[in-house]
Amino acid sequence: MGTKRQFKVWRGDENGGELQDYQVEVNEGEVVLDVIHRMQATDAPDLACRWNCKAGKCGSCSMEINGLPRLACMTRMSTFEETETVTVTPLRTFPVIRDLVTDVSFNYTKARETPAFAPPAGVAPGEYRMQQVDVERSQEFRKCIECFLCQNTCHVIRDHEDNKKAFAGPRYFIRAAELDMHPLDARTDRREYAQEAQGLGYCNITKCCTEVCPEHIKITDNAIIPMKERVVDRRYDPLVWLGSKIFRREKGEAPRGSAAITATNTGAGPQLPTVTPVPPAGERSPEADAERAVNWHRAVPAPVAPPVGDNGMLAVSEFAFDRPAAPSPFGDDVRFPMPPNQLNYSHPDQPL
């Protein structure tokens, strides 16, 4: 026989709810999901809870346990004191459907907005060739099980609902980083898209997403920070800035600062800001000049979804490794997450 433990579980729906107390039997070696199933069998048959694999690989049973975003199937009861009350609540960042089930469709919307892998021209499927070092750079990010704990804990959208429209979140920053690192991806605007359309600049690298990742992906160190560095390198490096001014002058283009930024969308893919000439001084009002000094209303172009199937979804290959159960190609002596020095853009072991 197990011992009785005290639980508080949030019950309710989109109209509101409250924490309810339960006394549930807990046996040695059990996880929180086991207890929730026993609770459904004994005290709360109508308790809604999403789950699937019970092995920490599907990401379905995401919830908050004692205030920390976790997978219920990977949270052992032995981690709590026997006298401690275990509080289980739904993910706070997403709308509640009922009890512990939340509407995470926000994440699938952002997934569809992320431009898909663009195959190189002139190379047919099956002819792709990559060096092992290039595989290792993005292999860590392929471990994501889309539990959305990182999305839930990110305070940019957790505490500011109005940021959701312009912010893709950590899950899709690692997707952008993975494709930006991919040597066969033909798109060259990954970092610009991450900054302009995915809201990379909102992230202030507090590493809360890394702390809750059940797959131990170094989201901040190995994906977000390198992407930020590459954005800064192109946008704010003084030598790059000077070179861009010189080349613009040679081509007869307006230098930076003498044009207004606008966003266009032709439907042909993710659109980045285009440069529109500013009217001559005689045709501008003093108010317009005053507003032009600081652009407080930076235009963020609307993302455009990659091609989808007739069912309105991306191909499964966009989100899943094609051989999820295959043996590791790296051998048994490789451990993940890989050391940071092996995930940089310039691999120390790569021949020059």
Side-chain angles (χ1 to χ4, degrees):
M1 289 291 293
T3 58
K4 290 283 188 177
R5 299 285 294 274
Q6 184 70 29
F7 277 77
K8 284 183 177 292
V9 180
W10 196 89
R11 304 297 307 275
D13 54 26
E14 68 274 11
N15 298 317
E18 62 181 1
L19 289 170
Q20 295 187 10
D21 294 312
Y22 294 94
Q23 284 272 346
V24 189
E25 179 182 319
V26 176
N27 299 314
E28 184 178 359
E30 288 188 328
V31 296
V32 171
L33 187 58
D34 293 324
V35 179
I36 290 176
H37 286 165
R38 183 171 294 113
M39 197 180 300
Q40 290 173 322
T42 57
D43 300 329
D46 60 340
L47 173 62
C49 173
R50 184 184 284 131
W51 67 281
N52 188 21
C53 74
K54 292 188 72 175
K57 292 302 177 185
C58 73
S60 299
C61 61
S62 301
M63 56 189 69
E64 297 192 9
I65 303 172
N66 282 4
L68 182 66
R70 298 182 178 183
L71 295 178
C73 70
M74 299 298 289
T75 305
R76 294 201 171 274
M77 289 300 302
S78 58
T79 60
F80 307 107
E81 298 291 336
E82 289 191 5
T83 58
E84 183 177 0
T85 298
V86 180
T87 303
V88 184
T89 56
L91 298 178
R92 191 180 108 182
T93 302
F94 308 114
V96 172
I97 297 176
R98 186 161 71 88
D99 298 340
L100 301 178
V101 178
T102 54
D103 180 3
V104 294
S105 58
F106 160 83
N107 302 285
Y108 299 113
T109 299
K110 295 301 179 182
R112 293 189 181 97
E113 291 173 354
T114 302
F117 171 79
V123 182
E127 297 178 355
Y128 298 164
R129 296 294 181 269
M130 293 172 59
Q131 293 187 18
Q132 186 62 42
V133 62
D134 294 320
V135 175
E136 292 171 358
R137 286 174 183 163
S138 60
Q139 184 69 25
E140 179 187 16
F141 308 136
R142 286 283 183 172
K143 294 165 54 186
C144 176
I145 61 175
E146 295 203 326
C147 61
F148 304 129
L149 293 182
C150 62
Q151 300 284 87
N152 175 68
T153 197
C154 180
H155 60 273
V156 175
I157 52 179
R158 184 181 178 91
D159 299 330
H160 307 280
E161 180 71 20
D162 53 338
N163 284 341
K164 284 186 176 180
K165 188 174 181 180
F167 188 74
R171 163 64 187 109
Y172 301 103
F173 291 156
I174 68 173
R175 176 66 172 156
E178 173 197 343
L179 292 171
D180 196 36
M181 295 176 183
H182 203 299
L184 295 176
D185 183 58
R187 297 189 69 101
T188 59
D189 62 347
R190 295 289 181 188
R191 72 200 75 165
E192 290 83 0
Y193 183 80
Q195 177 71 12
E196 298 292 343
Q198 292 185 300
L200 181 65
Y202 282 91
C203 173
N204 57 4
I205 56 176
T206 56
K207 300 190 178 183
C208 50
C209 52
T210 301
E211 291 177 3
V212 301
C213 179
E215 288 295 317
H216 308 290
I217 301 172
K218 304 296 184 185
I219 300 172
T220 310
D221 291 339
N222 293 346
I224 296 178
I225 290 177
M227 284 293 285
K228 280 179 169 286
E229 288 174 344
R230 300 190 80 177
V231 169
V232 169
D233 181 54
R234 297 300 305 168
R235 283 173 168 256
Y236 305 111
D237 185 291
L239 295 179
V240 174
W241 176 81
L242 180 60
S244 66
K245 286 195 66 173
I246 294 174
F247 286 123
R248 281 197 186 99
R249 187 172 299 166
E250 290 176 352
K251 295 179 181 180
E253 297 178 9
R256 185 179 300 173
S258 63
I261 299 296
T262 61
T264 60
N265 192 340
T266 63
Q271 302 295 313
L272 297 176
T274 57
V275 178
T276 302
V278 174
E283 301 176 16
R284 298 194 307 265
S285 66
E287 292 79 8
D289 281 339
E291 290 180 359
R292 204 166 56 86
V294 178
N295 181 17
W296 294 107
H297 304 285
R298 178 175 60 86
V300 178
V304 177
V308 297
D310 295 335
N311 59 357
M313 299 182 180
L314 283 173
V316 175
S317 58
E318 280 301 311
F319 304 105
F321 185 51
D322 58 345
R323 294 185 184 87
S328 170
F330 312 111
D332 295 333
D333 59 335
V334 174
R335 298 290 181 267
F336 291 98
M338 301 192 70
N341 64 341
Q342 294 186 23
L343 290 165
N344 292 338
Y345 292 99
S346 298
H347 195 286
D349 299 332
Q350 185 175 13
L352 300 176

